[in-house]
Structures are given as C-alpha cells and as structure tokens.
Amino acid sequence: MKRRKAALPILLRVMISALRCAAMVVSLTRKPWSAKAAAWGMGVMLAATCAQATDVTVLNLAHIYPPSHPTAKALSLFSDLVGSRSQGRLRVKVYEDAEAGNQSAIFQSLRNGTLDLSVLSQGVITEVVPEAAAFGLPFLFGSKEKAWRVLEGESGRRFVDKLANQGFVALSYWDIEVRHLTNSVRPVRKPADVAGLRIRIPPDPLAIDVFTALDAEVRILNFSDLYEALRLRVVDGQENPVLNVAAMKFYEVQKYLSLIGQKYSIFVFLMTKSARDRLSVTGRGIVEQAAQEAARYHRTLVASEEVNALKTIVAHGVKVDRVDHASFVAATSKIYEKWLESGIGDFVRLLINEARSSP
C-alpha cells in the first residue's frame, strides 16, 4: 500500500505535465497564420516533450492544403486511423494549410528530421530523385487508371527504391488528376494562344519544358503565393488540376480555363526512414495500412469532387474551353527526345514503354 500511495503523486505530476504541454501546443496552433509560420517548429518540440511524458510516439506531418481540400481530408483520416488502431500509442500531429511553409520548406524539414511525414508533388522530389519529373511527361498517360497501373509496375518500383536510397519510405501514391491552364488574358484553344502569356509553374523541370515549348513566359512561384500573384497580375495564368483551382478560389482572379490536360500530377506520401525506424513492427504496419486506406479514400474524394469543382468554377463566371488536343501533343513532342537523352534516359525509356504498353 505504501508503494501505491507514493506512486500516485508521481502519476499525477506526469499527467499534469502532459496536460500543460498539450495546452502550450494548442495555444501555438491558434495563432494567426504569420505567427504560426514562425512558431510551428516550437510546437513540434513541445509535442515531442509531451510524448515523452506520456509514452506516446508523435509523428509530425505537414502539407500545404486548406482543410476543405481532398488531400487535407484524407490526411486527417490517416491521422485518425493511426491514433485509433494504435490505441493512442501513436499520434500524428498534422500541420496543414502551409503552416510549416511551402512544399520546398516541408521537404527540407523532412530531410533535416523536423518533420516525419508529408504528401509532396513530383516537382519538389526531383531535388533528390530526378526521375520523379519523368512521370510528368506531356500527355504520357491516357487515363488516371493507366497511370496507376504504371506506378504499380517496374518504373514505379524503381522510383520507390531510389527514394529509399535517399532516406525516404514511399507509403502510397496519390494524385489530383491532370493539370489544365487558366489565365486572365484570352481564351486558349491552340498552342499559339499560349505564346507570350506569363504562366506560373511549380519548380518542376518538365513543367518548364512544356510551357517553354508553348512559348509562354515561365514564372516559378510558390503555390502559397499564387493567388496574390494572379490578383496583382504579376502573372497572367497558371496550370493546376481543377480541384486546386476551385479549392484556392483562383476563379476569383482568372477568366479562362482551358482543358488541356498536359500533365499528370503524382504525389507521394513520404515518411522518413528515421521516423519509420522509431516504430515497432506493429506500429509500422499500422502506419502503412492507414496510408494505403487514406490513398484509396483520397482517390474516391478526388473523383467525386472534381465534377463539383468544375461546376463551381463555371458558376463564378470562368469561361471553359476545349482545346485542339492533337496540336498540343505535337507542340510538346520534342520534349521526349530531350529527356530520353538526359542522365535519366534509361528510366524515361522504361516509363514510356510501360505507359504505351499498358491497356
């Protein structure tokens, strides 16, 4: 009995310490956006301290999307699944809506160990695995289903191996459909209509090649800065899936949407190898299964919300144009030659062959 009485105050102190830590983290995440950007790193450290006090493993996850975006919803599901299936022993702390910075900053935080998880676009991943860009070859996939089959094939497996060599675990592939062009200057129905337009693109070498081939004036800007750049006419237009156009309300600052579908966007749900190594075999299984389920949920959300996104864009007065698809294919065809002759030519050749042979 004496031992139990002595242990009780210790347990209470641990519980009180954990509650205080939790309160501090919550207070940080309730700050305005600019303060969040400066304070989120401190929140990560406090969350880790709380975890030590309560014997909980905290995994820090960040992304750039607002809560209404399908990616944010699917990552929220992932967090819930991991927490419930581990009976609270694993906790995924989510920093959303660019709270931890843009994709480049998030990727750097993964590399230096501040973050453990994120869903990132192929463009930013090219910094360490150049082969990531190849999945964006113009008009490579005739459908998203074909893209999924290719990602599950040999080129997809080789890409996963290359990520592993850089210290990353690819938990699952995500996507938000093909990319289209919007602008505030004129309708775009053929390649000549693109010439001279100042088009924002992400830091993706293949995207640069595509719009250079179309004679656009290429501007590289962070996604989080794009709305203001469009509003202030720093750029004339941008290219994104319609889901992003609707979610970020680009329809407020753009007049025309051209359904080109020039590039398929893959996103990879990454976990650092160091974070994975901290988990037990059971914990790894929980995270991996939850990541697969979140990916399937994401695809369902994207399919159901894409139609509504297009309706929203049209309802706000944006004119939607179908394009001369064959002329865009022809205008960008030489890009294939350039990438086949590049340092990753063997991978590009494998990818093209798989895409063309897939039903």
Side-chain angles (χ1 to χ4, degrees):
M1 287 297 293
K2 288 183 180 180
R3 289 183 179 179
R4 292 185 63 185
K5 287 180 180 179
L8 184 58
I10 295 173
L11 178 60
L12 286 173
R13 286 198 297 272
V14 171
M15 292 175 66
I16 291 169
S17 175
L19 287 170
R20 285 174 177 170
C21 286
M24 291 174 72
V25 173
V26 169
S27 69
L28 281 171
T29 57
R30 286 178 176 171
K31 292 180 180 294
W33 189 92
S34 59
K36 284 183 184 180
W40 82 273
M42 187 181 296
V44 170
M45 291 185 288
L46 284 169
T49 302
C50 295
Q52 291 174 0
T54 58
D55 196 27
V56 174
T57 298
V58 176
L59 297 172
N60 294 299
L61 184 159
H63 63 83
I64 63 171
Y65 300 102
S68 60
H69 195 279
T71 301
K73 293 177 183 178
L75 288 174
S76 179
L77 172 67
F78 169 78
S79 175
D80 292 343
L81 290 174
V82 170
S84 62
R85 291 175 180 174
S86 68
Q87 297 181 333
R89 288 188 292 273
L90 295 177
R91 176 172 174 253
V92 179
K93 171 61 181 172
V94 180
Y95 299 90
E96 61 185 10
D97 205 7
E99 184 178 355
N102 58 41
Q103 285 209 7
S104 295
I106 289 172
F107 191 45
Q108 184 58 42
S109 293
L110 286 174
R111 295 177 70 184
N112 67 28
T114 308
L115 289 172
D116 304 308
L117 297 149
S118 187
V119 171
L120 294 173
S121 67
Q122 62 206 62
V124 70
I125 296 172
T126 60
E127 184 177 338
V128 295
V129 182
E131 288 82 356
F135 292 101
L137 282 164
F139 309 103
L140 178 63
F141 304 110
S143 67
K144 60 186 178 184
E145 290 78 14
K146 176 180 281 193
W148 296 342
R149 287 192 292 271
V150 171
L151 288 170
E152 292 167 359
E154 180 59 25
S155 55
R157 287 190 289 271
R158 288 194 190 182
F159 179 52
V160 168
D161 290 342
K162 290 179 182 295
L163 284 168
N165 291 338
Q166 296 296 326
F168 296 102
V169 178
L171 295 174
S172 54
Y173 286 117
W174 298 33
D175 69 79
I176 45 175
E177 302 288 350
V178 295
R179 303 174 81 89
H180 303 291
L181 178 67
T182 69
N183 82 95
S184 59
V185 178
R186 57 178 174 263
V188 170
R189 303 187 185 94
K190 57 186 185 299
D193 297 331
V194 182
L197 292 177
R198 296 169 301 169
I199 304 299
R200 176 270 175 185
I201 61 169
D204 181 330
L206 245 164
I208 293 173
D209 285 350
V210 168
F211 282 91
T212 299
L214 297 174
D215 292 325
E217 293 185 20
V218 171
R219 300 286 189 273
I220 299 175
L221 293 170
N222 292 325
F223 186 70
S224 56
D225 299 327
L226 180 51
Y227 182 94
E228 279 301 292
L230 293 169
R231 186 181 71 83
L232 297 173
R233 299 295 179 89
V234 175
V235 293
D236 300 315
Q238 61 82 48
E239 51 89 51
N240 255 298
V242 294
L243 276 172
N244 283 356
V245 174
M248 304 307 292
K249 300 184 179 180
F250 294 153
Y251 50 71
E252 295 178 344
V253 288
Q254 297 280 266
K255 296 179 180 178
Y256 307 100
L257 167 62
S258 301
L259 300 177
I260 302 175
Q262 74 277 358
K263 180 173 175 286
Y264 179 81
S265 291
I266 68 162
F267 289 74
V268 188
F269 193 2
L270 292 178
M271 183 179 197
T272 64
K273 186 178 183 297
S274 58
R276 184 178 182 274
D277 289 346
R278 297 203 314 264
L279 305 181
S280 65
V281 173
T282 300
R284 294 175 187 180
I286 289 171
V287 167
E288 290 166 2
Q289 184 178 9
Q292 291 294 326
E293 291 185 33
R296 289 193 292 271
Y297 177 58
H298 184 259
R299 289 180 179 179
T300 300
L301 285 177
V302 167
S304 64
E305 293 186 19
E306 187 180 34
V307 174
N308 290 333
L310 188 57
K311 288 179 180 178
T312 298
I313 293 167
V314 171
H316 283 82
V318 175
K319 186 179 185 300
V320 179
D321 288 298
R322 302 286 175 180
V323 303
D324 179 2
H325 191 263
S327 66
F328 280 94
V329 172
T332 57
S333 60
K334 290 185 178 180
I335 294 173
Y336 280 70
E337 298 174 18
K338 173 184 176 179
W339 283 78
L340 282 167
E341 295 172 358
S342 71
I344 61 168
D346 290 344
F347 181 85
V348 172
R349 186 170 290 103
L350 170 66
L351 177 61
I352 292 172
N353 289 339
E354 282 195 298
R356 289 176 176 173
S357 63
S358 178

